[in-house]
Amino acid sequence: PPPPPTFFLKPYPAIRDPLWSRGLGDVYKRQALPASINQYSLQKLESDRETYRKKVWKKINLFHKRLDEIELSTTSTSQIIPIIIGKEKTAIEFSKFLKKNGIFAQAIRYPTVKKAEARIRVSITGWLSENEIEYSIKVLEKAKKQRTDTQQKL
């Protein structure tokens, strides 16, 4: 019989053995790390957490400020930023334009959000450089201008 829909493969040798031969079965052979290593890892994480948090919020605030400057509206103050576009088709076109320019920002549309309130959702992380944020803003501004030019032609 086929295995149940789960990731636990230990009782199914026909599935487990090929995975083990590729090194994926090592997860079953590993022992727990010594407590001293776990404690060191936790201390390192805790010591860097506040620094990273400040770094992320600096970038989030910069992104929000720059969005305001180019007059793109958002309802967020967090690191997940929905940029309100309006029509679903426009949001999809906006998303495609961004992707062509190296920015992955999905169009979120009905039924996830109300009709005619489609948006592009972006996330800011501490790994983004200020140059990458500025580049993203420039591309968003170009996408907005392209959208405005297209609407004026209609």
Side-chain angles (χ1 to χ4, degrees):
T6 181
F7 293 106
F8 185 72
L9 302 175
K10 198 162 182 104
Y12 298 96
I15 296 171
R16 181 196 65 218
D17 293 344
L19 294 176
W20 276 5
S21 68
R22 292 187 187 105
L24 300 176
D26 288 343
V27 73
Y28 297 114
K29 300 175 192 172
R30 293 190 184 125
Q31 296 178 3
L33 294 172
S36 60
I37 293 175
N38 288 333
Q39 188 61 35
Y40 171 79
S41 299
L42 288 173
Q43 288 171 347
K44 180 76 173 142
L45 177 67
E46 287 298 322
S47 69
D48 292 344
R49 183 177 291 176
E50 186 61 21
T51 303
Y52 182 77
R53 190 185 68 74
K54 286 178 181 177
K55 181 176 162 183
V56 169
W57 276 103
K58 180 181 175 189
K59 292 175 183 189
I60 292 166
N61 291 331
L62 171 64
F63 194 82
H64 279 284
K65 177 182 173 235
R66 296 290 286 122
L67 278 180
D68 287 344
E69 290 171 5
I70 64 170
E71 298 177 352
L72 281 173
S73 76
T74 182
T75 57
S76 170
T77 57
S78 74
Q79 76 184 68
I80 300 171
I81 304 168
I83 301 168
I84 311 302
I85 304 299
K87 294 181 181 176
E88 284 77 9
K89 184 179 178 183
T90 307
I92 292 169
E93 291 168 0
F94 207 93
S95 178
K96 286 179 183 178
F97 180 86
L98 295 176
K99 188 173 183 181
K100 281 183 192 175
N101 287 277
I103 298 171
F104 180 72
Q106 289 186 299
I108 309 298
R109 54 197 196 275
Y110 180 82
T112 306
V113 296
K114 293 179 184 176
K115 283 189 178 186
E117 290 187 16
R119 57 204 66 197
I120 301 297
R121 187 173 291 160
V122 296
S123 295
I124 304 299
T125 69
W127 296 298
L128 290 173
S129 69
E130 287 188 18
N131 288 338
E132 290 169 322
I133 290 173
E134 288 301 326
Y135 174 77
S136 300
I137 292 294
K138 287 177 184 173
V139 173
L140 286 164
E141 191 171 25
K142 285 180 190 176
K144 179 186 173 194
K145 184 177 177 353
Q146 179 180 327
R147 178 184 72 178
T148 304
D149 291 347
T150 303
Q151 289 174 345
Q152 286 175 354
K153 289 177 185 175
L154 297 176

